[in-house]
Amino acid sequence: MRSNDDGIIFTKAVDITAALDGLKLQFAWAVVALDPGHAIQLQNGWLLVPVWISAGEPTAEGHRKHAPSGIMTLYSDNYGKTWKHGDLTATDSPEITNPNEMQVIQLANGSVMANIRTGDKRELWLPARMASATGPSRSSTSTYMTPSALLVLCVTVLYLETIAIASYLGFTNPDSDSLSGSNKDGRGLRRNLTLKMSEDEDKT
């Protein structure tokens, strides 16, 4: 959908699922969803959308299981007129268990950093390079735990804001560590929204 009047009127929705068809040779996805939160616009004007996919089998209720899962991005180099996919950023592996919901931001040096929710209750930060001529990086360079990581239990919001000459990295997520008890799947209670800020792009 597009709007030329700040969201007052939108065009009809256009189905862009076919942009993901080429990925099925690498990962036989049966479920695809845009990740909670937001997409971003890169410094070169491209639009970048984090996407979660799953190859889960059907359940008795007719739904699809959410695992095994993987993450990737959709991008547009013409302001949303057409869309392409990058290769898989990460899939279920011993290093990352069923990566799913992901948020992305572009750092001051032009690289793209992603925050990933995983099936093993860890929070991972994944730095990925961006090649302006060929599209988003085809794979991650590395993954690592943040020194002060919170568990990603549900929707995470990640953003970078520049005020004057300083850049602030913000991370919000439902609290889990400070609350006793858990929900039916053993995760935290998802209460009390937390906000963490970094003035040095996640070094502290």
Side-chain angles (χ1 to χ4, degrees), residues 177-192:
D177 293 339
S178 65
L179 298 174
S180 60
S182 63
N183 60 15
K184 62 181 180 180
D185 64 2
R187 292 175 178 259
L189 295 177
R190 307 184 189 187
R191 297 176 184 169
N192 299 344

Side-chain angles (χ1 to χ4, degrees), residues 105 107-108 113 123 125 144 146-149 157-163 165-172 195-204:
I105 57 170
L107 303 179
M113 186 173 69
E123 175 191 325
W125 298 90
Y144 61 96
T146 56
S148 55
V157 174
L158 187 66
Y159 63 93
L160 191 69
E161 183 173 355
T162 300
I163 302 176
I165 60 173
S167 293
Y168 298 90
L169 172 63
F171 170 84
T172 64
L195 170 63
K196 304 191 76 174
M197 298 291 295
S198 173
E199 298 181 23
D200 51 17
E201 295 191 340
D202 192 46
K203 294 181 178 66
T204 57

Side-chain angles (χ1 to χ4, degrees), residues 101-190:
E101 295 171 2
M102 174 175 67
Q103 282 290 284
V104 293
I105 57 170
Q106 187 171 30
L107 303 179
N109 65 5
S111 65
V112 173
M113 186 173 69
N115 169 245
I116 308 168
R117 182 187 183 193
T118 71
D120 59 3
K121 306 177 186 179
R122 294 179 301 166
E123 175 191 325
L124 295 172
W125 298 90
L126 187 154
R129 292 172 295 180
M130 188 66 57
S132 61
T134 58
S137 172
R138 295 297 175 168
S139 62
S140 64
T141 56
S142 62
T143 57
Y144 61 96
M145 291 287 290
T146 56
S148 55
L150 288 176
L151 296 180
V152 176
L153 296 181
C154 198
V155 177
T156 294
V157 174
L158 187 66
Y159 63 93
L160 191 69
E161 183 173 355
T162 300
I163 302 176
I165 60 173
S167 293
Y168 298 90
L169 172 63
F171 170 84
T172 64
N173 188 61
D175 184 25
S176 61
D177 293 339
S178 65
L179 298 174
S180 60
S182 63
N183 60 15
K184 62 181 180 180
D185 64 2
R187 292 175 178 259
L189 295 177
R190 307 184 189 187

Side-chain angles (χ1 to χ4, degrees), residues 1-45:
M1 300 172 65
R2 298 177 64 89
S3 175
N4 297 316
D5 52 14
D6 295 327
I8 297 175
I9 299 174
F10 281 88
T11 62
K12 292 183 178 180
V14 177
D15 188 347
I16 62 171
T17 309
L20 296 171
D21 286 347
L23 273 179
K24 288 195 172 182
L25 297 176
Q26 304 173 52
F27 189 85
W29 60 267
V31 177
V32 58
L34 304 183
D35 288 311
H38 57 81
I40 62 172
Q41 186 171 29
L42 302 176
Q43 296 166 5
N44 62 4

Side-chain angles (χ1 to χ4, degrees), residues 1-2 11-12 14-16 40-41 45-49 74-84:
M1 300 172 65
R2 298 177 64 89
T11 62
K12 292 183 178 180
V14 177
D15 188 347
I16 62 171
I40 62 172
Q41 186 171 29
W46 292 11
L47 304 178
L48 186 68
V49 183
L74 281 170
Y75 68 97
S76 173
D77 56 8
N78 54 15
Y79 301 101
K81 293 178 182 177
T82 59
W83 292 87
K84 304 172 185 177

